[in-house]
Amino acid sequence: MTRLKTHTESHATSRIGWLRAAVMGANDGIVSTASLIVGVAAASAGRSEILIAGMASLFAGAMSMAAGEYVSVSSQADTEKADLARERKELASDPEFEHAELASVYEARGVDATTAKEVARQMMAHDALTAHARDELGISEVSTARPLQAAIASALTFIAGAAAPLLVVPFAPLASMVMAVAAASLVCLAVLGALGAKAGGAPVVPSVVRVVFWGAMAMVVTALVGKLFGAVVA
C-alpha cells in the first residue's frame, strides 16, 4: 500500500498583506526623511534645525502612513464585505444560476463542462459562499484586506526607515552632512530592496536598483531645491 506524503509549502503570497505595507512604509521613511534632511542641510541650516526637521518628518510621516493605509485598506475591506453580502443574497435567491455561474468559471479555466458542473456542485455543497468568493470574486484568506495590520506595519516600518538617516545627523560634520545622509540612506535602501525581494521571493537585483534609483532621484531634487532656496534667502 502506497502512503501519500504530506507536502507543506510556504508561499510568499501569504505575506502580501503586511509585506506591501511594510516595504512601502520603510521605503517612504528612508526616502522622505532623508530627502527632507538633505534639502534642509543644502539650504545651509544648522544642526538643530536639521534635527527638528527630521524628527518632524518621522512622526508626521508615521501618522500619515498609518492613517493612509488604514483608510485605503478599509475601503477595500468595505468593498469585499459588500460583494460577499450581495453574493450571499444571490446564493439564497437563485442557487441554480449561481451553480451555473461557478461551473462557467471552472470551464473558462480549462475544465470540461461535465467535470466543471460536478466540481461546482461539490464545492457549493461544502461551502458555497467561500467557493464563489474565491473563484468568482477573487477574495481569499490570503488577499483579504486587514486595515489595522496594514496601518501598524506601515507606521512601524516608516519609523524604522526614517530613523536611519536621522541617526546620521548628530554625528556627521555639517560640511559633509548632505553626502553622509545620502550615502547612509542609499545603503539602507539597497538593504531594504534586497530584504523585500527575499521576503517576497522576487529577484534581488531589480528590486535593489529600483529603490536605490528612485531614492537617489528624490534626494537630488530636494538638494537642488534646498540649494536654490538657501541661496535666495541668503
Side-chain angles (χ1 to χ4, degrees):
M1 182 176 179
T2 303
R3 293 184 61 186
L4 293 176
K5 293 182 179 179
T6 57
H7 182 52
T8 304
E9 291 183 338
S10 177
H11 292 285
T13 51
S14 62
R15 311 184 188 108
I16 284 177
W18 63 265
L19 180 60
R20 178 197 60 81
V23 170
M24 185 169 70
N27 183 80
D28 198 32
I30 296 170
V31 173
S32 62
T33 305
S35 296
L36 182 61
I37 290 172
V38 165
V40 174
S44 301
R47 193 182 303 275
S48 60
E49 288 87 353
I50 298 171
L51 275 171
I52 291 170
M55 291 296 293
S57 174
L58 186 151
F59 288 107
M63 294 305 298
S64 176
M65 290 294 292
E69 281 291 328
Y70 189 83
V71 169
S72 63
V73 180
S74 291
S75 298
Q76 179 187 339
D78 291 342
T79 301
E80 290 176 356
K81 290 176 183 176
D83 281 344
L84 289 174
R86 188 180 304 112
E87 196 65 30
R88 191 178 289 109
K89 289 180 181 179
E90 292 172 352
L91 284 166
S93 63
D94 196 351
E96 290 185 3
F97 175 81
E98 291 300 307
H99 171 266
E101 189 175 39
L102 189 59
S104 69
V105 171
Y106 297 141
E107 283 188 64
R109 294 177 182 174
V111 181
D112 66 81
T114 302
T115 304
K117 290 176 182 177
E118 178 59 21
V119 171
R121 184 192 68 77
Q122 292 188 30
M123 295 294 285
M124 290 182 66
H126 176 68
D127 190 338
L129 184 60
T130 298
H132 279 268
R134 181 184 60 247
D135 297 326
E136 180 188 344
L137 304 177
I139 300 173
S140 67
E141 180 64 23
V142 171
S143 63
T144 298
R146 296 178 176 84
L148 190 58
Q149 181 192 68
I152 292 173
S154 185
L156 291 179
T157 52
F158 183 97
I159 291 171
L166 193 57
L167 287 172
V168 177
V169 176
F171 305 104
L174 276 176
S176 57
M177 180 72 70
V178 171
M179 292 304 298
V181 170
S185 300
L186 291 177
V187 170
C188 290
L189 284 171
V191 172
L192 174 64
L195 291 175
K198 285 287 187 181
V204 171
V205 174
S207 177
V208 170
V209 171
R210 184 167 56 241
V211 296
V212 169
F213 174 80
W214 288 109
M217 289 300 100
M219 284 182 275
V220 167
V221 169
T222 51
L224 291 174
V225 171
K227 278 287 186 184
L228 175 65
F229 282 90
V232 171
V233 172

